[in-house]
Amino acid sequence: MTNVYYDARMSDDERRAHVYQGDLFLYSPTSDSLALVALARGMLSEAFGTVDPELAQHTMPVQEFAQLLATLKPRFIHHPECKRLLPGIFASLGCDPEQTYFDVPRLRTATSDDYLSTGIAYAFHPHRDTWYSAPMCQINWWLPVFPITPSNCMAFHPRYFSQGLRNSSDIYNYQEWNRTSRFIAAQQIGVDTRTQPKAQEPVELQPDVRLLPPPGGLIVFSAAQLHSTVPNTSGRTRYSIDFRTVHLGDASALRGAVNIDSRCTGSTMDDYLRCTDFAHLPPEAKALYEAGPPTPAAHA
Ligand SMILES: [Fe+2]
């Protein structure tokens, strides 16, 4: 069973426990999430000029579009305002700033009708972030920049939260990926040659669950939740922002979702910064994750 909570009034401790069981949370926009949306929209309109960023794909050569995103996305990720707004979002939703560590927010694009679905606008096949060296305690946060519809959102496949899939996560090591593949994203137009962990058996994608918050509304879910990019047939490019958190107490106590099928190595634990002072996780917490996730176990 997967429960979807809407604007849940519960403590962050309770929420994380539910997330680790596979529950999904939806939140109305907060003042800081709306400010983050405004920041993204402002940067998009600056980059696209008079062209509507959701419709630009219909008039702009794909190379030019990819190049524009390749410049814009890192500028957004490292914008100083993000380091103020993300902790603001977490605080307003009850997270303890001393215990909550976050990574940089990614601005993502899902273009319509396969205009560009590789490289800088990669259309994610069904995956768990835990196949990509994320710790089992990682929590994902996702919000749309413009209104979304069922034909340009993301999808969850919650039956696989408790059902393992044969997959190639054993090929993935985050440290290795950073050294080699990430920086060539913008060159990957047409086909994406980067090796990524994938399911190695048919995935029953339907029925899926599609949550449709308004711009700035948040979806909160476990990194172990199987999710994918919906094939975009809306005629509009979807822009969304996602980021991740790790709770130090959980990380230190090895609390999190049960690992049922992730066999990657390496760890993303060096990416998270404390809300209060942007310090990295303590070395003893990071050390627990260096070898990758614990051995997959039968789901409790
Ligand atoms: Fe993901």
Side-chain angles (χ1 to χ4, degrees), residues 32 41 45 49 56 58 98 122 127 159 164 169 172 175 190 273 285 294:
D32 286 324
R41 287 186 185 187
S45 65
H58 300 297
E98 287 289 343
Y122 189 77
H127 70 280
R159 64 175 282 190
S169 57
Y172 192 85
Q175 278 65 34
L273 306 177

Side-chain angles (χ1 to χ4, degrees), residues 47-178:
F48 282 99
T50 53
V51 183
D52 181 338
E54 290 182 280
L55 301 174
Q57 65 165 94
H58 300 297
T59 51
M60 195 179 267
V62 68
Q63 286 279 1
E64 196 182 318
F65 188 85
Q67 197 48 56
L68 188 150
L69 294 181
T71 310
L72 176 69
K73 287 188 172 186
R75 277 189 54 226
F76 177 79
I77 285 174
H78 301 294
H79 196 289
E81 270 296 276
C82 292
K83 274 193 171 161
R84 187 177 68 79
L85 294 172
L86 265 56
I89 293 171
F90 306 135
S92 66
L93 295 177
C95 300
D96 176 351
E98 287 289 343
Q99 289 283 306
T100 305
Y101 291 64
F102 66 101
D103 71 352
V104 289
R106 310 292 192 325
L107 178 64
R108 312 254 189 206
T109 34
T111 64
S112 189
D113 304 293
D114 281 333
Y115 168 73
L116 176 63
S117 53
T118 52
I120 199 80
Y122 189 77
F124 270 94
H125 54 275
H127 70 280
R128 311 181 198 276
D129 284 20
T130 53
W131 290 352
Y132 290 77
S133 309
M136 302 309 297
C137 60
Q138 181 184 288
I139 293 179
N140 291 20
W141 304 67
W142 189 98
L143 62 97
V145 174
F146 299 104
I148 50 170
T149 69
S151 57
N152 70 356
C153 60
M154 63 173 291
F156 292 101
H157 313 284
R159 64 175 282 190
Y160 292 105
F161 193 77
S162 54
Q163 187 181 322
L165 278 166
R166 201 146 35 80
N167 67 80
S168 58
S169 57
D170 59 339
I171 60 162
Y172 192 85
N173 176 293
Y174 181 63
Q175 278 65 34
E176 190 60 32
W177 170 267
N178 273 345

